Amino acid sequence: EKIAASPGDFVKDLLLKPLRKSVPLLEGGLKPLVETPAFGCYHPLLKEQNLPYPETIDEYKRWAALNNLPTAEADPTKPVVAVLLYRKHVITEQPYLAELIRGLEQSGVVPIPCFINGVEAHTIVRDKLTSSHEQFNRNNLGIVDVDSLKPDACKVDAIVSTVGFPLVGGPAGSMEAGRQSEIANKILKAKNVPYFVAAPLLIQDIASWWESGVGGLQSTILYALPELDGAIDAVSLGGLCGDDIFLVKERVFALSNRIKKWHALKQKENKDKKIAMTLYGFPPGVGATGTAALLNVPKSIDETLATLRKEGYDLGVKEGEPLPTGEAIILALRNLEEVSAIMLGAQKGGEQALSKTRRDIAKIKREEEKESESDESSPNGNVLSLPDNTLQPAGMDVSPSTLRKWLSFPADWGPNEWGPCPQLPPNDILIRRMEKAWGNLEQYRGLNTNASGFNVAGFQLGNVFIGVQPALGVEGDPMRLLFERDLTPHPQYAAYYKYLQYKFQADAVLHFGMHGTVEWLPGSPLGNTGLSWSEQLLGAMPNVYVYAANNPSESIVAKRRGYGVIVSHNVPPYGRAGLYKQTAELRELLNEYRESQQLQKFGDRKLRGIVANQAAMAQLDNDVPCYSMETNELLSVNANDAENVWSDETFENWANALNEYLFVLENRLFSEGLHVLGRQPDAEQSERYLDAYFGEEMTKLEKRIVASTTFEHAAEISRAQTEDDKEEVDTPELAAIKKQLDKQFDIPASYSEKLSEAITIKSLLQRNDEELDVGLVSALNGDWVQPAAGGDLLRDGPGVLPTGRNIHALDPYRMPSNAAFIRGNHVANEIIARHRHENDGQYPETVSVNLWGLDAIKTKGESVAIVLALLGARSVKEKTGRVARYELIPLEELGRPRIDVLCNMSGIFRDAFANVVGLLDDCFSRCAEAEDEPIEMNFVRKHALEMQAKGLDATSSRLFSNPPGDYGSMVNERVGNSSWNDTQELGDTWASRNAYSYGKSSDEKGVARPEVLNELLRSTERVVQEIDSVEYGLTDIQEYYANTGAIVAAANAAKEDAADATEKDSNGAKSKPAFKKVQCSVVETFGKDAKGSVKDLDETLRLEYRTKLLNPRWAKAMAESGSGGAFEISQRMTALIGWGATTGFTEDWVYDGANETYVEDEEMRKLLQKNNPEAFRNVVKRMLEAHGRGMWNADADTIENLKKMYSDAEDRIEGVL
């Protein structure tokens, strides 16, 4: 074997000399010592020529030119790519190296293969590689970002690391990745070329990758850690076959194609680039077209088109000519969805849609003029504008034969391209799978098809295509996915993306907002293969993805499965709910009562009755119950008793509690309206951000002055926040703010210590324009996009700003963090204490905890900490800070029983935190096997033994989710379609979708264990759900009721089934045993501490409905946000049905208030009808549905009025009105 050694190493040579003579079996003794330099360039031809590895890139390039290998000089159009290789793989002659380099060359890339030890990768990139950008800055602008750059540094167009890990430190620096990323960012920013990580799996075999995706530590090496450095488009190139590493050549071609497309973005002039802007429209029929969570899509389109025009993109209009507005574009796209337009085909249907759009705009303007000719203050005025000769019909009707061609692999592909894959796929395998799911393509007459084929329709503005991502095609049949785990996208969905690739020939696709569906399509859960649908439909198109900065969880799915380069955007300004209507009147009455106490100790008795009556009318008696101070008896809240029966002390105590609750309502935060991409907040909005963040830590005057100040050097101010040194002297900005404060008549006695931080936050908010001017523009230029941690300003602080960054998640091997463990322990103790208080001191035997990727990332593992605390376990960390295992706390130390925990994992948590899943499973296993612990002190062991007695296997399984590569409970689809009969049916839907067990063993990766899940549901007494941000409450999105509510439904159904079974076994007993329904605790984690963060489900729902859906301030802000705001209101009405369907939350006052706010209020009704008639129809539809299902006791006149409103809405949508 070769032995790496220094040529002049006398000691080694002396020791090896006798060894050479003592090995008679080796003819000639050992081979001569061969030095492999610490850095060098590799090529398989060097070995064939028996040449040493060149130790400089210049030397390699000269050799390559002499041997007629691809070079930049020979073909300047080809991208030059530095490929970082493991030196040890070069030494051990791993077979994949030759395949990789030759595959890159074969597919049109000029590789510069550099081998390194791994730890010094950043120094090689820093000193030996350069770029056109860096050279321009140095030579023309005098900007020297890297002073150690070598004079002979090689100019490259991209960097590919096959090492993985963080750039700085490599394997040795993996546990320091967060701290080292700043160094890497500085280096990569200087180069400003795409940085790819593409590597074979070094600790996972190819078969397991194809079967269940990249997992465990391998996923951290290839994805989580490189993402901290802004790495994009990670490609798994191959993996282990026995002890050797082999490539799948098809994956090398996929990497090459991605490199070439990013290179084209860098080389093309903007006027020649074609951009495919993809909007969303799911679910259909409820006004969702052109909407995205937290984002005002129409106005963001306006800002984006203005930016593209400024940057020189061809929008099909001359300089100075007006563009269509975003609202007009979206209205046209909605008209394009009509059946008649689909039947006419892409061209004629587009013409019809444009004609109808112009008629709709003219009609709306006539109505506005008729209603109020003098009202020029309307925030929605002039938002609909469609100048002639701007939008043009685009798309095509894709024939079945064309789609077959587009979805087929080359006919001559075989073992050479697919390599050691578990199966050799036929070239039409994707078509075969599609036809198995949807039938023969020629005979398919499903979604968006016409006589010519699959209708792909949109509009073009010059070189910008604007279309709507097709619906997935399962909404009309929500049960289908329960039985067809490998369901494919329907033909028209595939045709849409293939059209963008092959016919429109997009240079980049721009997914507009959070979030689409292409990254969630069937395929490998992590580490796309050539058969993954997201891989095939996106192809090599660079995917620029606009995403909310506070959602690093779902964005990593877009990044990892959808190759998304994230451009983050800010969340909308925060607002405080305030008090309104009955609650505002109640506050006035309480103040009046307090004033009466100045005349008599316990106040005016008449006022007591009025206060109690008002509280009852406001439906506050559930949230602020009254208990007798003498007997602790729950009292009825009514005017007579409060005035004549309650003792003075009882009323005083209740009035104090009522006042406290009103204070909570008044100061409750919510997102006010929707964010506009690239738009800076004005002074009023900035003040709301500061007020939400600082609260009472700053005076109103201080917040107002800072918010109203525009800082000229915002970037420099906000950058200074990262510096460790604290200056004693005020910065110029701080001094200026203090001077303004001094001029006010109410001069602060002392300045807030938070002033500097407030200035930093305001300067960061000013940089919202970087969402477009830096983030989007850089991505479309093919530049490296600055990475940043995704998160929440209120919880994570100003480090999550500015936006316009390529956001990433956290290092999964540090979960939970120390702070998260402390908070999680506090929350678990509070949950246990609440349960015991409500259940005669009994401990819960089983608690179901939802483990979601979003809250786990943002809270750094607080939900995991809750699981550990309930179980009676804690983290054991290595010196590096990495969590090595979870150990059980001795019962003597714990002082209570171990609570059993059913962990329901979201698909994102399951895929992103496989290491945590393994550690938790190991902990549960040891807990179940703790024979020295009595079962009354270890409920995990108790339940495991009970299941074993019933003949079940894997009785310590506690981590359940969807099947591998699958996501979602489908409960929200059923509620959205009204395709459900009762609560148990929805609970069964959830259980059937989440009966798959995961654990540390490679054999426990999505094993169906419905019996074990059912036993755990039967013993579940409480469900725990975290809420991680102000923006996404229980009532704001469908996923909460579809999971949390559905688990409650599933557990109650399991208990009822058990009671039925007991009844059957009870020898003819007439009544089945009663069971206690499952309780639910909601943990709000967005506060700065854990105190008071645990609430009951119904309490939280009432709090949210009072402060958002029924709050005139929230409603007005949403309604004035155009079509997207109307859709947000509509979705919350659907969610209201969802909570009633799953948990029985059916309180009349919520529906009464919604009807009063959105239907009976004429101004609001007309605004919603104009902005989004389909959304308004859904609002009315949900009210009628609630009444029809017995959720709302509305009077006959109300129902008749709603039926008329629904009929009018239908006519308006059909064009009759």
Side-chain angles (χ1 to χ4, degrees), residues 576-593:
R576 293 197 184 273
L579 300 177
Y580 57 92
K581 298 180 182 176
Q582 292 169 330
T583 54
E585 294 172 12
L586 190 56
R587 166 62 60 78
E588 291 298 321
L589 288 169
L590 283 170
N591 289 340
E592 192 176 340
Y593 172 74

Side-chain angles (χ1 to χ4, degrees), residues 153 270 316 443 462 565 575 684 729 732 1058 1100 1164 1213:
N270 286 346
Q443 298 173 359
V565 173
E684 182 182 347
V729 181
T1100 308
M1164 174 65 75
I1213 292 168

Side-chain angles (χ1 to χ4, degrees), residues 1107-1120:
T1107 54
K1108 285 190 272 194
L1109 185 67
L1110 306 186
N1111 186 343
R1113 180 177 175 181
W1114 181 91
K1116 183 173 184 290
M1118 276 299 178
E1120 291 179 350

Side-chain angles (χ1 to χ4, degrees), residues 357-373:
T357 301
R358 290 191 172 93
R359 294 196 302 271
D360 290 342
I361 292 173
K363 177 183 173 184
I364 290 171
K365 288 184 176 179
R366 287 195 303 271
E367 289 177 351
E368 288 178 344
E369 291 169 1
K370 183 178 179 181
E371 288 173 12
S372 178
E373 294 181 2

Side-chain angles (χ1 to χ4, degrees), residues 784-938:
W784 174 81
V785 179
Q786 177 82 37
D792 192 316
L793 172 65
L794 298 188
R795 181 186 172 102
D796 302 313
V800 302
L801 299 173
T803 41
R805 302 297 186 258
N806 189 4
I807 57 173
H808 55 71
L810 77 162
D811 182 348
Y813 279 85
R814 295 175 177 271
M815 183 180 291
S817 69
N818 291 335
F821 184 80
I822 293 170
R823 284 178 61 116
N825 196 65
H826 178 95
V827 167
N829 289 336
E830 186 172 346
I831 289 170
I832 292 171
R834 275 187 171 229
H835 187 91
R836 295 189 70 196
H837 175 74
E838 296 166 3
N839 293 274
D840 301 322
Q842 296 296 309
Y843 285 96
E845 290 205 4
T846 304
V847 172
S848 175
V849 178
N850 283 333
L851 297 179
W852 285 15
L854 182 57
D855 64 65
I857 291 170
K858 291 176 68 174
T859 66
K860 297 179 174 56
E862 197 170 300
S863 55
V864 175
I866 293 171
V867 172
L868 294 175
L870 290 169
L871 190 60
R874 59 193 166 205
S875 303
V876 176
K877 296 184 179 181
E878 298 173 346
K879 290 181 180 179
T880 60
R882 172 180 175 173
V883 176
R885 70 180 187 280
Y886 301 136
E887 70 173 5
L888 296 175
I889 299 169
L891 286 175
E892 298 77 16
E893 181 182 343
L894 185 63
R896 60 163 173 82
R898 302 191 191 280
I899 312 299
D900 202 352
V901 185
L902 165 59
C903 300
N904 169 235
M905 303 183 294
S906 71
I908 298 175
F909 186 97
R910 172 199 67 201
D911 297 341
F913 302 111
N915 63 302
V916 178
V917 174
L919 293 175
L920 284 172
D921 181 57
D922 174 66
C923 190
F924 280 118
S925 296
R926 284 183 279 113
C927 194
E929 295 165 2
E931 297 180 359
D932 58 332
E933 296 184 354
I935 59 173
E936 65 271 13
M937 293 297 290
N938 183 338

